[in-house]
Amino acid sequence: MVEENKNLNLIIERCRKKDRKSQYELYHLYFKAMYNTACRIIGDVYTAEDITQEAFLSAFNKITTYSGEVAFGAWLKKIVVNRSIDFLRKQKLNLEFKDSLISLDAVEELPYDDYKPEELIKEVKKAVNQLSEGYKIIATLHILEGYDYNEISEILNIKSSTVRSQFARAKARLSEILIKKKQEND
């Protein structure tokens, strides 16, 4: 692990000096993970590939601002997420978020017990893609990418309470989708 960090730090340092070979190494280290992130947010493989390419170009141009306070992968992932969300905004998709909170008591838990673990991951990903764009973004960032409410709030530039309420609604909708899917299969 320490050796990997040393190697990564050397690659990053060479990238700061605009070394193309090091940029290529960094690209190959992180492309697949960043591409998968963009795919989950965008839902289109070709657009996700373009966004990932743009994110890497942006990262290489801004690499001197990388301070090392967070893991490089997390820093790069934030660029990919922001690029993906910017793309969706430019497409004028409905990204309206309402500030009204709903009762968390009214939200059913996702029906995890009805699925085998490997099935659940697959079905949750499918269900997330069936959500409206606003819900999809928040659910993707929280469930699939692991961002907390405050981080999502910063990324989307909305209130943390809005993220919570939108996630609660997305979770309720996911539950409905998963229950319906399970009933269809029984």
Side-chain angles (χ1 to χ4, degrees), residues 34-46:
M34 298 305 123
Y35 168 76
N36 288 336
T37 296
C39 268
R40 286 189 291 268
I41 295 170
I42 300 298
D44 176 71
V45 294
Y46 300 109

Side-chain angles (χ1 to χ4, degrees), residues 36-164:
N36 288 336
T37 296
C39 268
R40 286 189 291 268
I41 295 170
I42 300 298
D44 176 71
V45 294
Y46 300 109
T47 304
E49 189 172 345
D50 289 345
I51 287 169
T52 304
Q53 299 286 342
E54 290 172 14
F56 271 97
L57 290 173
S58 178
F60 291 142
N61 287 330
K62 296 178 182 179
I63 201 158
T64 56
T65 66
Y66 173 66
S67 65
E69 290 178 25
V70 296
F72 182 79
W75 181 79
L76 183 57
K77 189 178 196 179
K78 187 168 184 172
I79 294 171
V80 171
V81 167
N82 286 335
R83 287 281 177 152
S84 299
I85 291 168
D86 287 347
F87 171 80
L88 291 175
R89 285 186 176 137
K90 286 178 186 171
Q91 296 302 307
K92 298 182 181 170
L93 295 174
N94 183 10
L95 294 179
E96 297 290 318
F97 297 98
K98 295 178 176 40
D99 285 329
S100 60
L101 289 171
I102 62 168
S103 169
L104 293 178
D105 297 338
V107 180
E108 293 181 5
E109 289 300 315
L110 294 178
Y112 297 121
D113 296 339
D114 294 339
Y115 289 95
K116 294 177 186 168
E118 62 277 358
E119 274 182 348
L120 179 63
I121 293 168
K122 189 171 140 184
E123 292 304 322
V124 167
K125 285 180 179 180
K126 283 183 192 175
V128 166
N129 284 325
Q130 294 178 41
L131 297 173
S132 66
E133 286 304 314
Y135 291 169
K136 178 181 174 182
I137 290 170
I138 289 175
T140 298
L141 291 174
H142 189 61
I143 296 171
L144 304 176
E145 300 300 326
Y147 285 101
D148 66 30
Y149 298 131
N150 291 332
E151 291 170 323
I152 296 169
S153 171
E154 280 182 36
I155 290 168
L156 297 176
N157 197 27
I158 58 176
K159 294 179 185 176
S160 186
S161 60
T162 301
V163 173
R164 281 184 177 80

Side-chain angles (χ1 to χ4, degrees), residues 102-111 127 131 135 139 143 164-180:
I102 62 168
S103 169
L104 293 178
D105 297 338
V107 180
E108 293 181 5
E109 289 300 315
L110 294 178
L131 297 173
Y135 291 169
I143 296 171
R164 281 184 177 80
S165 68
Q166 293 296 305
F167 180 70
R169 291 178 183 145
K171 189 173 162 184
R173 181 69 184 119
L174 284 173
S175 183
E176 291 172 12
I177 293 168
L178 291 172
I179 288 169
K180 182 179 178 185

